[in-house]
Amino acid sequence: MLKSIKKNVQKNKKKSMALVLGLGLSASLVLTGCSNSDSASSEKKADTPFHKTGLPIVDKQVTLNIVSPKAALAPDYSKMVIFDRLQKATNVKIKWNNIPGDGYQEKKNLMLASGDLPDAFYSSGFSDHDLVQYGQNGTIIPLENLIDKFSPNLKKLFEERPELKKVVTAPDGHIYSLPRAEEMDLIGMPNIMFINKAWLDKLGLKMPTTLEEYHDVLKAFKEKDPNGNGKKDEIGLTFWYNGWCGNEGDLIGLFGMPDAPFEADHRIVRDGKVLYAAIQPEFKEAIKYYNGWVKEGLIDPEVVTQKTEQLFAKGKTQNPTLGSFIWWENTEVVGPDRVKDYVVLPPLKGKDGKIVIGRSNYSEYGRDAFVITSANKNPEITMRWVDQLYEPKMSAQINWGPVGEIYEEDANGMLVNKELPAGVSMGELRQKVAPGGPFAVLKEHFGKVVDMEPRAKERLQILDQYYRPYMVKESYPSIFFSPEELEVINTIEPEIKEFVKQKEAQWLIEGGIDKEWDAYVKQLNDMGLEKLMKVYQKGLDRYNKQ
């Protein structure tokens, strides 16, 4: 429902305007002392009169051309309820050019190369190298002065979270892009191990507590036909090799040093020092050990080649075939009808008898949510428009979905989750109604501005109960590197990642790590690994001093 509130704007104004997006924008954004302004930021003089504060932003509708990727199930953003409400409140119309996610980067790069630019890129997908390169050559504009003058929500956010401002500030001191933030304390621990409790009970087995006990349980799952169909079709363990979640990092951690294998990253931090996990003796020992499990048939032989759709399908076969898996949550893998059979496998004691859980390098903060290009004739209006998305209640809806579709408001105005329609998953519905992009949901907003989504609550409880007491304290933060540092990283790292990803997969499935190890380490150093680690160490030292 769109609320309309009347208020005098100026003495010489002929009409009163007071549209506020009641289900997306807080009362603090209602017209308060609006005045027409032709003031310009230091970047560019405004071509169109606009109001410096309050809503609408303009009296005469302005159209902005914005390019954005979109999820597979998402409609064109012009058909999203959340943006329709925002247009009515601001009087700023967005002409969206939505590009499917899998083709976005290529088309974005063609636009940048040709100079055929939109006014802005939403969920820009700009790498750090892109931000520095296109910021310094003037393709995208600095935003810090616009933020200071026209973005009260974002300005307040930076005051409350100076570390978030640090994330988006480039080495040259400029801010070329806007942030996203989701402070749920979930992403740092991307792996939860689950086990088929129904099979444990049927076979009279206890919950394993050590690596060797886990081995014996998986062996029983594989050999004793717990699904009772007379076939040897049971899968002991599967996971998402090098995935952002559900990966092998904590299996390797059972040998004393948890890995961060997402996209073959392997950077870990111990006592302020950056280490490359994939050349450590613990990594070598772990891969050699788990190759033995592959040979015994305890680990899914397709684990290094499967896509997530294949992993999910293994949890939903007609007869249950999955004994244990690693993932973000259990329902997504095994489905709602079978989820009761799977429980959390508490962290196992490693080879040294200790429990240690890794921490991913994936940050709750991002710096590529929105950029404004040099083609934009109304950067002030654009900044005022995008600042609305950082109002706390609006941010929640941009991230998860709008009132009426995902949320309803309780008596205190807090956004609470509606009951999902039968047969509808939250993940799929969220793709259809929530664009993501520029938003900030802070930890203090939960329970006041927005109720945490049930799946997230459940996962947080699992992490607090089982995992967080054993998590390592350090991870590699989101650092904005200099152009010179980025040149080293972008030159050296891609080939190293591809090489290590292939060798880890080969050794896990086929074996041979002992024979090839010394030559492997030498080749990595010949490829520039030591130089790469020095850049990462320099960046971390600089970050810690800021």
Side-chain angles (χ1 to χ4, degrees):
M1 178 180 72
L2 195 65
K3 297 179 181 177
S4 180
I5 305 171
K6 292 185 177 180
K7 187 173 183 178
N8 290 330
V9 183
Q10 277 188 333
K11 292 182 180 179
N12 61 348
K13 293 283 282 182
K14 294 183 179 180
K15 59 181 179 178
S16 297
M17 294 194 66
L19 274 172
V20 63
L21 192 58
L23 300 180
L25 304 176
S26 72
S28 65
L29 294 175
V30 179
L31 286 175
T32 53
C34 292
S35 61
N36 282 335
S37 171
D38 58 1
S39 300
S41 73
S42 60
E43 286 81 8
K44 187 183 289 278
K45 181 177 175 63
D47 291 332
T48 307
F50 69 99
H51 301 299
K52 288 184 177 180
T53 60
L55 296 173
I57 295 172
V58 290
D59 294 330
K60 184 178 180 181
Q61 188 175 85
V62 169
T63 298
L64 300 174
N65 295 304
I66 297 182
V67 168
S68 176
K70 77 176 187 71
L73 298 179
D76 187 274
Y77 284 2
S78 63
K79 298 178 181 178
M80 278 192 171
V81 168
I82 195 74
F83 287 129
D84 181 60
R85 293 174 181 168
L86 188 61
Q87 179 179 323
K88 290 175 181 176
T90 63
N91 208 23
V92 175
K93 180 179 180 180
I94 307 301
K95 184 178 179 181
W96 290 101
N97 179 2
N98 284 131
I99 301 170
D102 56 1
Y104 173 73
Q105 285 294 338
E106 180 181 358
K107 291 185 178 180
K108 178 206 77 176
N109 290 337
L110 286 173
M111 291 178 193
L112 293 167
S114 68
D116 183 17
L117 299 173
D119 292 316
F121 287 91
Y122 184 105
S123 294
S124 75
F126 276 48
S127 66
D128 288 357
H129 187 269
D130 290 338
L131 293 173
V132 171
Q133 175 185 346
Y134 294 114
Q136 293 187 347
N137 72 16
T139 302
I140 59 176
I141 66 173
L143 304 177
E144 59 271 12
N145 290 338
L146 292 170
I147 292 169
D148 187 57
K149 295 178 180 178
F150 305 112
S151 301
N153 290 313
L154 197 50
K155 192 174 179 180
K156 180 182 179 184
L157 178 65
F158 285 162
E159 291 170 354
E160 294 174 343
R161 292 292 189 277
E163 63 271 30
L164 185 57
K165 184 176 182 180
K166 184 164 65 173
V167 164
V168 296
T169 302
D172 63 6
H174 287 302
I175 295 175
Y176 295 113
S177 59
L178 300 186
R180 60 149 179 84
E182 182 186 88
E183 295 183 345
M184 300 178 75
D185 207 12
L186 294 176
I187 199 68
M189 177 56 241
N191 304 321
I192 296 178
M193 297 184 74
F194 295 95
I195 195 165
N196 192 324
K197 181 67 163 55
W199 285 6
L200 286 175
D201 294 342
K202 182 175 181 178
L203 298 178
L205 301 172
K206 294 181 179 180
M207 183 71 70
T209 60
T210 68
L211 180 60
E212 294 306 323
E213 289 175 1
Y214 187 42
H215 166 273
D216 294 344
V217 164
L218 296 181
K219 191 173 179 66
F221 285 173
K222 187 67 180 175
E223 296 178 349
K224 295 186 177 181
D225 192 28
N227 67 8
N229 67 355
K231 302 176 182 178
K232 287 190 175 296
D233 56 355
E234 289 84 358
I235 297 171
L237 168 66
T238 196
F239 51 86
W240 188 14
Y241 176 71
N242 279 196
W244 73 263
C245 75
N247 61 51
E248 69 274 24
D250 289 310
L251 290 175
I252 294 170
L254 289 166
F255 289 78
M257 184 173 286
D259 193 6
F262 171 44
E263 293 185 343
D265 183 359
H266 300 294
R267 281 174 302 155
I268 60 174
V269 181
R270 297 294 180 270
D271 299 323
K273 301 299 181 185
V274 184
L275 303 177
Y276 192 69
I279 60 169
Q280 305 304 318
E282 294 90 345
F283 178 88
K284 176 186 176 184
E285 185 182 2
I287 298 301
K288 179 180 178 181
Y289 177 85
Y290 291 119
N291 170 247
W293 283 21
V294 172
K295 290 178 178 177
E296 290 184 80
L298 308 186
I299 289 180
D300 181 359
E302 298 177 338
V303 73
V304 300
T305 58
Q306 69 182 346
K307 297 182 179 180
T308 54
E309 306 92 89
Q310 294 169 289
L311 191 158
F312 294 165
K314 290 169 182 174
K316 302 180 183 73
T317 50
Q318 184 174 0
N319 291 312
T321 57
L322 193 52
S324 186
F325 62 92
I326 309 171
W327 194 247
W328 183 262
E329 61 176 13
N330 51 6
T331 305
E332 196 167 19
V333 175
V334 299
D337 295 335
R338 200 172 286 169
V339 71
K340 65 182 185 301
D341 293 336
Y342 290 83
V343 299
V344 174
L345 174 60
L348 300 168
K349 293 178 182 177
K351 295 289 286 185
D352 59 0
K354 298 178 181 179
I355 299 174
V356 58
I357 299 296
R359 185 183 292 271
S360 81
N361 294 329
Y362 198 86
S363 175
E364 292 186 315
Y365 297 159
R367 57 171 152 259
D368 65 343
F370 194 85
V371 301
I372 298 176
T373 76
S374 57
N376 192 317
K377 296 181 179 180
N378 295 291
E380 298 89 349
I381 293 171
T382 306
M383 183 57 70
R384 284 228 53 220
W385 178 86
V386 73
D387 187 60
Q388 312 308 308
L389 308 187
Y390 289 100
E391 189 276 330
K393 191 176 287 188
M394 186 63 163
S395 275
Q397 294 174 90
I398 288 292
N399 191 26
W400 288 293
V403 170
E405 294 183 302
I406 296 294
Y407 293 114
E408 56 191 8
E409 291 185 293
D410 68 9
N412 297 316
M414 185 175 75
L415 301 179
V416 294
N417 288 273
K418 295 180 63 178
E419 186 175 347
L420 284 174
V424 175
S425 75
M426 174 60 79
E428 291 184 355
L429 181 58
R430 185 177 173 186
Q431 282 193 47
K432 296 176 181 179
V433 301
F439 68 87
V441 181
L442 307 183
K443 59 184 179 181
E444 57 264 33
H445 293 163
F446 292 107
K448 295 180 180 179
V449 175
V450 61
D451 189 28
M452 189 176 288
E453 194 232 328
R455 293 184 310 166
K457 283 183 182 179
E458 180 183 1
R459 192 172 196 279
L460 199 58
Q461 290 170 354
I462 290 171
L463 295 185
D464 289 342
Q465 179 178 352
Y466 295 106
Y467 288 89
R468 214 174 299 282
Y470 305 106
M471 287 180 69
V472 298
K473 303 301 181 185
E474 298 169 284
S475 62
Y476 200 90
S478 180
I479 294 173
F480 214 142
F481 293 98
S482 70
E484 295 76 20
E485 290 168 334
L486 287 171
E487 183 66 27
V488 173
I489 293 169
N490 292 331
T491 300
I492 296 174
E493 191 170 56
E495 289 188 359
I496 284 179
K497 283 187 172 184
E498 188 60 31
F499 175 64
V500 173
K501 184 176 183 178
Q502 291 176 359
K503 296 306 292 184
E504 181 188 351
Q506 174 194 323
W507 291 332
L508 180 62
I509 301 302
E510 301 174 6
I513 194 169
D514 276 336
K515 183 178 180 181
E516 299 182 15
W517 182 258
D518 290 343
Y520 158 80
V521 173
K522 181 179 185 303
Q523 184 167 343
L524 282 174
N525 287 327
D526 290 343
M527 294 170 75
L529 178 62
E530 292 178 337
K531 183 177 182 180
L532 180 66
M533 289 299 105
K534 286 180 180 179
V535 169
Y536 280 130
Q537 185 66 58
K538 181 180 178 182
L540 181 63
D541 293 342
R542 182 174 65 244
Y543 180 90
N544 288 334
K545 290 177 182 178
Q546 288 178 337

